[in-house]
Amino acid sequence: MARRQQEYDDIPGTFVFDAERSRQGYGINMFCMSLMKEENRKAFKANEAEYLKKFRLTPEQTEAVLKRDYNRMLELGGNIYFTAKLGATDGHSFQHLAAVMTGASQQDYAAMMLGGGRSVEGNRSRSGKDKSAAKAKAGAKSASKAASASKPKSKSKSKSKPKSKSSAKRK
C-alpha cells in the first residue's frame, strides 16, 4: 500500500516518523531492537539475509538493511534510534551514521554541527513553496527599514536600574 503524502513530506532530506511510517517500519524496527541481545547480533552477523526473514520485511526493506542504506530505511519506516542499533552492531558511532546519511565525512559533519548545523536556506521545501513566504518576509523587512529610516530618532533618557546585590541573591 502506498504511503499517503503529508504536507511535511515537502521537507528535503527528512522522513518524519509518523504513525503511518511507524506501521510501515514495524519489521525494520523490531529487527533493529533484536540487536540489543548479543546472541541476536551473532546470529545476524553469521547470516544476515536468513536472520532478516524472521521479521517479515518487504523486499525493499531487506535490501536497504543489507546495503546499510540508512536513509532508505528511514524512508521505509525505520526509526533513527532503532536503526542506530544496526550501526552499532557494525561498530559505527552515531556520528558516523549521521555523516554517511548526509554524504559527508565524519570530520566535515562534526565541523558542520559544531558550526551551528546545516543552513536552512534551500532546505525548507522540495517544491519551493516556501520561496513566496521568504520573499514576503524580505519585502516586509525592507518596508520596515524604510519606515524606521524616515522617523526622527528620539533620545531616551530612561535607563534601567541595575539590580542590587541583595535582590540578585534572592533569585
Side-chain angles (χ1 to χ4, degrees):
M1 187 166 110
R3 188 175 184 284
R4 262 187 333 215
Q5 287 295 308
Q6 302 292 334
E7 187 174 329
Y8 48 74
D9 288 334
D10 194 41
I11 305 166
T14 301
F15 303 108
V16 176
F17 189 72
D18 58 10
E20 194 170 349
R21 254 203 189 95
S22 175
R23 285 188 294 278
Q24 179 188 14
Y26 182 81
I28 289 176
N29 295 318
M30 291 303 99
F31 151 67
C32 290
M33 289 302 290
S34 79
L35 298 176
M36 292 179 66
K37 294 183 178 179
E38 185 177 358
E39 64 267 17
N40 292 340
R41 291 190 297 272
K42 286 180 180 177
F44 173 66
K45 293 306 260 178
N47 189 337
E48 294 184 2
E50 190 62 32
Y51 185 82
L52 290 174
K53 289 179 183 177
K54 297 178 184 183
F55 298 95
R56 296 173 38 186
L57 304 178
T58 67
E60 294 83 11
Q61 291 170 329
T62 299
E63 180 181 16
V65 170
L66 294 174
K67 289 184 174 181
R68 304 306 195 265
D69 186 343
Y70 288 90
N71 287 326
R72 184 76 171 131
M73 283 186 255
L74 298 184
E75 183 181 5
L76 295 171
N79 178 292
I80 187 66
Y81 299 106
F82 295 163
T83 58
K85 293 176 184 351
L86 174 58
T89 297
D90 289 338
H92 299 300
S93 68
F94 196 85
Q95 180 178 310
H96 169 84
L97 298 178
V100 166
M101 292 170 72
T102 59
S105 69
Q106 276 191 196
Q107 295 78 15
D108 289 345
Y109 178 79
M112 176 191 61
M113 294 308 290
L114 289 170
R118 185 171 33 189
S119 168
V120 296
E121 295 309 315
N123 290 313
R124 294 176 189 239
S125 107
R126 288 184 180 114
S127 67
K129 68 181 176 184
D130 66 313
K131 290 180 181 167
S132 60
K135 285 179 184 176
K137 191 174 182 180
K141 280 186 178 180
S142 297
S144 175
K145 282 182 182 178
S148 65
S150 64
K151 288 183 183 176
K153 298 196 178 190
S154 63
K155 294 182 181 178
S156 175
K157 292 186 180 182
S158 67
K159 292 184 180 179
S160 61
K161 293 180 182 179
K163 292 181 181 177
S164 68
K165 287 181 182 178
S166 62
S167 68
K169 286 181 183 176
R170 281 185 253 147
K171 288 189 177 182

